[in-house]
Amino acid sequence: MNKLTKTVVIVGGGIAGWLTAGRLAAKHKSNTEQGLKVILIESANIPAVGVGEGTWPTMRSTLRALGISESDFIRECEASFKQGAKFAKWFDGTEDDFYYHPLVLPQGFGKTDLAAHWLAKQAQTKQNHSHVNSFSNDVCFQEAICEQGLAPKTIRHAEFADVANYAYHLDSAKFAVFLQKHCQKKLGVTHIVDDVTGVNCADNSANNDTTNKGDILSVSTENNGDIAGELFVDCTGFSSLLLGKHYQVPFKKCDDILFIDTALAVQVPYDSADSPIASHTISTGQEAGWIWDIGLQHRRGVGYVYSSKHSTEAEARAVLATYVGDKFASLNVRKIPIVSGHREKFWQNNCVAVGLSAGFLEPLEASALVMVELAAQMISEQLPASREVMDVVAKRFNETALYRWDRIIDFLKLHYILSERTEPFWSDNRDPTTIPQSLQDLMTEWQYRAPADHDFTSNNEVFPAASYQYVLYGMHFKSDYCHTPYALDDGEFANSQFMKNKQLIDKALSSLPSNRELLDKIKSYGFSRI
């Protein structure tokens, strides 16, 4: 039977559930008579995981698509501006060991191979025993902004406009509540607070399919009976009630590649109301993992993610306590297990998983929320008009999602394999048997040239070639251009880009406010609306 898609039922709330509901409702006019009906069911008895305080710049377009004011979002979600990540003590663990993965592309990216010129300039500078700037500082003005704790724009800019590309840090619990209110009041999402007690399926015997459960017709709830729909979205978190438990779609672990399996998280208050707010995520390498440090308006979110094969919990707590300082003794420590991996498929029959029910990797590079955004956007934009086309869309969705998960795993592993730290956690990460072949192949190529866009042929990339450059050359990797000296032929243009970057640094440092200063002004006055 070729049913039209008139009702989408989302099981589970949180950011994944409400972002998906919002994307669908905004695109398909759920607040009108003719629009798609979007129903979100969530239990009052299941607490939110409460992780995922870092976003990508994609969140700006997501908020715009939902019709959300940036000023309101910043005020109500304790959000701050994020301009990339600073990786400290990842290379050799010394005090001055750090590099940046900023959110602004290198100068002239796509017009010249500036990495080749930077490597040549770096070699010459070392011969002269002069100070060597970092790759990101020489090719991008954002590192300098972050080091000074500056915002990516001023209060005179319109909402979502920028001087430097940016994302957000946010309070995930407040963001989920903010999305819920907006989706109900503005977008027409139906909200049901209830526990799902069963899944009711169609009989597939007409299709001679005895191995696969049929489409979901409805879910049974404790107090609201059966709730029917044509498409069901599983946002039930790690339990994966629909895709995992009902459809028995296997979970594919990648703990043989990414060793992190535990997080200890705390919320650290600022010393005073005017304490500086970092303009970036700070990721500091430790003996058995790394510590994240995220500055919100009212507090910092700090956590140690580590491998339990390389550290006991007591040792990890001691590391986190040393990092946080005297306040640690009064803080509540949450222990969060991490099982890195993802489902073997994400859309089965008329059920698609979004968020933790689809998969989860360690929080390095903040991939959790962007995968929710990308999934919600794709479901909304390619919503099957009827059951007839659903399998076609599902196939494309599964291929796209699997590609993205694999590329994220590669990129996260890249951060570990170039380290020269000697602790077992870091040396084990350099074991070639733990490195995906796809990444090994790229590393072989990059011995002789910088990462470039043509290395990645899909239009579903999550990390551009520039991101690989920032990590590689931040970790002191050397591409050998001795066989291709013509890569340096456009030296005059390259030098103009290095000079332009210095000018942009000077201009930004003289004109941008601090992160805290801008956030205070937003709370008082707000941005101009677009």
Side-chain angles (χ1 to χ4, degrees), residues 15 114 168 178 182 195 209 263 265 337 356 373-374 412 433 479 518:
I15 294 176
L114 205 58
Y168 307 101
F178 177 76
H182 182 80
D195 291 309
D209 187 348
L356 300 178
E373 289 182 81
L374 293 171
L412 299 192
T433 63
S479 298
L518 178 56

Side-chain angles (χ1 to χ4, degrees), residues 312-341:
T312 66
E313 183 178 341
E315 290 169 338
R317 290 178 74 97
V319 169
L320 185 59
T322 298
Y323 182 91
V324 172
D326 295 340
K327 295 177 182 177
F328 184 80
S330 63
L331 301 179
N332 177 44
V333 181
R334 292 182 59 213
K335 182 180 179 181
I336 304 167
I338 295 174
V339 182
S340 286

Side-chain angles (χ1 to χ4, degrees), residues 462-482:
V462 281
F463 293 100
S467 292
Y468 286 85
Q469 289 189 6
Y470 283 129
V471 176
L472 283 175
Y473 303 124
M475 294 284 281
H476 306 281
F477 185 79
K478 298 291 188 295
S479 298
D480 185 358
Y481 282 84
C482 67

Side-chain angles (χ1 to χ4, degrees), residues 336-492:
I336 304 167
I338 295 174
V339 182
S340 286
H342 54 78
R343 298 288 161 185
E344 290 187 359
K345 66 166 62 173
F346 311 93
W347 194 320
Q348 174 72 48
N349 289 61
N350 65 334
C351 171
V352 57
V354 177
L356 300 178
S357 56
F360 183 71
L361 303 173
E362 63 174 274
L364 187 69
E365 296 288 4
S367 62
L369 288 186
V370 77
M371 288 298 280
V372 170
E373 289 182 81
L374 293 171
Q377 180 183 6
M378 189 170 182
I379 295 167
S380 172
E381 292 181 352
Q382 302 185 26
L383 181 70
S386 67
R387 185 63 183 87
E388 180 184 24
V389 298
M390 191 171 292
D391 291 341
V392 177
V393 175
K395 181 175 183 292
R396 184 185 306 120
F397 184 94
N398 284 329
E399 291 172 349
T400 300
L402 183 60
Y403 180 85
R404 285 170 170 162
W405 281 106
D406 286 345
R407 296 293 73 72
I408 291 173
I409 292 168
D410 278 359
F411 189 64
L412 299 192
K413 186 66 172 181
L414 177 68
H415 292 66
Y416 294 102
I417 65 175
L418 297 171
S419 175
E420 293 186 357
R421 292 188 64 137
T422 58
E423 298 95 336
F425 170 80
W426 297 91
S427 57
D428 287 351
N429 262 293
R430 294 191 292 271
D431 182 346
T433 63
T434 73
I435 304 173
Q437 188 61 49
S438 52
L439 178 58
Q440 292 191 48
D441 291 345
L442 288 170
M443 294 299 292
T444 299
E445 287 190 80
W446 294 336
Q447 292 179 74
Y448 304 103
R449 61 169 176 80
D453 284 338
H454 53 66
D455 295 328
F456 308 97
T457 56
S458 173
N459 63 351
N460 294 305
E461 297 300 336
V462 281
F463 293 100
S467 292
Y468 286 85
Q469 289 189 6
Y470 283 129
V471 176
L472 283 175
Y473 303 124
M475 294 284 281
H476 306 281
F477 185 79
K478 298 291 188 295
S479 298
D480 185 358
Y481 282 84
C482 67
H483 300 294
T484 54
Y486 47 82
L488 302 174
D489 283 352
D490 57 346
E492 186 175 339

Side-chain angles (χ1 to χ4, degrees), residues 59-71:
M59 185 58 73
R60 290 154 66 187
S61 58
T62 296
L63 296 177
R64 284 197 298 266
L66 269 59
I68 289 173
S69 157
E70 185 176 35
S71 299

